[in-house]
Amino acid sequence: MKALVYGGPGQKSWTDVPDPTLHSPTDAIVRVDTTTICGTDLHILKGDVPAVAVGRILGHEGVGTITEVGSAVSNLKVGDRVIISCIKSCGHCGNCSNGLYSHCLGDEGASGIGWVFGHLIDGTQAEFVRVPYADNSLHKLPEDVSDDQGVMLSDILPTGFEIGVQYGRVKPGDVVAVIGAGPVGLAAIATAGLYGAANIIAIDLDENRLERARDFGATDTVVSGAADWKEQVLALTDGAGVDVAIEAVGIPATFTMATEIVRPGGNIANVGVHGQPVDLHLENLWIQNINISMGLVNANTTKMLLKLVASKKLQAEKLATHHFTFDQFLEAYDTFSRAAETKALKVVITR
Ligand code: NAD
Ligand code: ZN
């Protein structure tokens, strides 16, 4: 088969590799019908994630059709159309029992981490992928949910909702600020209303993305390059700050921004993946009664979010801005890596 193979920092190729095979009775093989590229894949290609070995097939998002199941797979069969969750979960280890699928202790990758695709084992940017613990790591897709919609449920929507909105403890009437209106920030914006956010302020450097944020439910937008960005945000509150500040960029500056706009008693939910140490001014923050959260997505809300997509309460398909076929994979990477110019949110690649 063909797959997108990591060749070390700065190097990738769409090339021939052996087809995947079942390793364990709980595995399934899925023919990938649709996949996409994540900001995390770009981090890997920069060499920021050293755990990714040369020769690894990248990708952790996808929709596909099951072509083979192991003898212990009981809920799924050949021919089922499924969402491939970015997090594998055995479903019964101590962490999975507590819903902490991101720290599934099942032996895949032997790491105690749920994110294995395109990281510790071969991923979804390929014609076929082996999925461990298929019963828990795949979600059957109803016929009326499209591939474009389904692929947003692999990672983006659960991440914005779980690590942004739920960890941020959004509650009815809250003013929520989302710093970074990329696909993950937009997913937080799109789902903050589920817990009754009254106002959602999108903050980004890119005016195009701020415009898109309004399509997903932002009530206000602030250009963070502006000298008075903070005053603009505070003016949209009672003056004391936002109830919840969600960081969806992953750089020190934006985490600090979150600490500057949150009200006493408020919540900061860090979603961004950080590659650098970040200053935490506890000497100022301790007295503000602020809750700070962070984490790797669990994808324990995928089934619930799928229902909202199926009932058209969440317009997941609006995140898909560019379409490619597998033989255009390198072009898809190029378009996604120049998002500011190409106005790409998610690039969708189909067989
Ligand atoms: P992205 O790069 O597409 O979007 C980031 C956005 O931040 C862009 O719109 C950019 O213009 C904006 N930005 C950059 N600097 C800014 C600044 N100074 N002020 C305001 N906005 C600024 O990324 P994405 O795919 O949306 O992902 C966002 C983050 O979430 C990344 O760090 C990604 O690795 C992370 N992520 C985390 C998890 C998790 O489980 N915690 C899962 C998936 C992705
Ligand atoms: Zn991802």
Side-chain angles (χ1 to χ4, degrees), residues 38-40 43 155-156 159 163 179-185 203-206 209 224 248-251 253-254 257 270-273 295-297 336:
C38 180
T40 308
H43 277 299
D155 174 351
I156 300 308
T159 296
I163 309 302
I179 304 168
V184 170
I203 305 172
D204 201 295
L205 295 168
D206 180 345
R209 289 209 156 166
S224 56
V249 185
I251 58 173
T254 45
M257 284 167 69
N270 179 84
V271 187
V273 171
L296 173 64
V297 62
F336 183 66

Side-chain angles (χ1 to χ4, degrees), residues 1-2 14 19 29-36 62-67 81 124-129 147-148 151 323-329 348-351:
M1 68 165 184
K2 288 244 192 263
W14 176 250
D19 286 354
I29 304 296
V30 176
R31 182 194 74 197
V32 179
D33 297 324
T34 297
T35 184
T36 180
V63 165
T65 307
I66 296 182
T67 57
R81 210 172 137 246
T124 56
Q125 292 172 3
E127 290 180 297
F128 294 87
V129 61
D147 282 25
D148 276 18
V151 79
H323 290 83
F324 298 91
T325 50
F326 277 2
D327 56 353
Q328 301 171 307
F329 227 112
V348 172
I349 308 133
T350 49
R351 53 186 279 107

